[in-house]
Amino acid sequence: MPDSVLKNHIKNYIPLSEEELSEVLSFFDHQSYKKKETLLFTDKRCDKLFFVAKGCLQLYFIDDLGYKKTTQFALENWWLTDFLAFQNKKKSNFTIETVENSVVFSISSSKYNKLLNQFPLLEKYFRNIYETAYGAALMRLKYINSYSKEEMYFRFKEDFPEFVKRVPQYLLASFLGLTPEYLSEIKRK
């Protein structure tokens, strides 16, 4: 089952034969994780790119006051890593943790480069993935900078209902720059 999720995702973007797809999948590892398991630690070298076949991941940092600040979520068919640290082979400024029990594919930096050399068409696939991720990050900035706290929550709820259903309220509040108490108050209204 997990293999077919990644295989189908790739096929949505680029044409590859079943044989090629099988070979592409051989570059990846997949693993099941329980809720609240850590896949990437802050201040550790970021050497993996993660694809969610099942479940939900969050990427966060701890601010100067010790509060967890969620910057990204990844549900099924989303990729996640500290992209800057992955690209530059540096230590991460973020932690990646499971929000739910999850099945995740991962590829190391060295295998990723070999994969792209062997299958140049995957450059197009990953370009599409990165453009989508960048667009989502821009939308989050727009939400934060354009809307009141209440509007931000309601627009997010309207645009991304699956996240609101699946992500615990305290994490959603962190992602939207709210306190869990304030988010509860907004929801009560």
Side-chain angles (χ1 to χ4, degrees):
M1 183 292 269
D3 284 357
S4 65
V5 176
L6 180 54
K7 196 184 282 193
N8 289 335
H9 195 263
I10 293 169
K11 285 186 344 188
N12 284 335
Y13 291 90
I14 57 171
L16 291 176
S17 70
E18 285 300 314
E19 185 180 298
E20 289 170 320
L21 282 166
S22 293
E23 197 170 343
V24 165
L25 289 179
S26 72
F27 284 84
F28 292 86
D29 296 315
H30 78 270
Q31 188 170 347
S32 296
Y33 295 92
K34 298 231 182 274
K35 182 178 180 177
K36 294 194 176 190
E37 278 194 69
T38 302
L39 284 70
L40 174 67
F41 290 90
T42 300
D43 288 331
K44 298 292 180 191
R45 187 169 172 260
C46 180
D47 186 44
K48 294 204 174 171
L49 177 57
F50 303 100
F51 176 82
V52 182
K54 180 179 180 217
C56 181
L57 307 179
Q58 67 166 321
L59 181 130
Y60 68 87
F61 67 95
I62 305 296
D63 71 10
D64 292 340
L65 300 174
Y67 293 106
K68 185 187 286 188
K69 301 291 185 172
T70 301
T71 59
Q72 283 184 286
F73 290 107
L75 294 175
E76 289 84 5
N77 293 314
W78 280 75
W79 289 90
L80 188 66
T81 196
D82 176 345
F83 286 101
L84 196 57
F86 180 76
Q87 177 188 17
N88 295 318
K89 298 175 178 58
K90 301 277 185 187
K91 290 182 180 179
S92 179
N93 290 302
F94 300 92
T95 296
I96 296 177
E97 185 178 276
T98 56
V99 175
E100 304 171 341
N101 292 342
S102 300
V103 177
V104 178
F105 283 86
S106 64
I107 187 167
S108 69
S109 177
S110 61
K111 283 185 177 181
Y112 176 77
N113 289 321
K114 287 177 189 172
L115 176 67
L116 295 180
N117 284 331
Q118 191 169 336
F119 294 94
L121 193 55
L122 281 168
E123 292 270 358
K124 178 182 177 186
Y125 169 75
F126 281 106
R127 188 193 76 231
N128 279 290
I129 298 310
Y130 299 146
E131 287 172 355
T132 300
Y134 183 68
L138 290 176
M139 285 305 293
R140 180 170 183 260
L141 286 172
K142 179 181 178 185
Y143 276 59
I144 290 170
N145 292 303
S146 298
Y147 304 125
S148 71
K149 303 284 186 190
E150 284 184 27
E151 287 175 320
M152 185 169 43
Y153 169 71
F154 288 114
R155 286 188 182 261
F156 187 81
K157 182 180 175 184
E158 184 178 307
D159 292 344
F160 305 101
E162 188 68 18
F163 281 98
V164 175
K165 285 182 208 164
R166 290 177 59 184
V167 172
Q169 183 171 308
Y170 74 97
L171 292 178
L172 187 58
S174 168
F175 179 72
L176 295 173
L178 309 171
T179 65
E181 297 78 17
Y182 189 61
L183 182 53
S184 289
E185 188 180 314
I186 291 171
K187 288 171 80 174
R188 273 196 301 274
K189 291 178 183 179

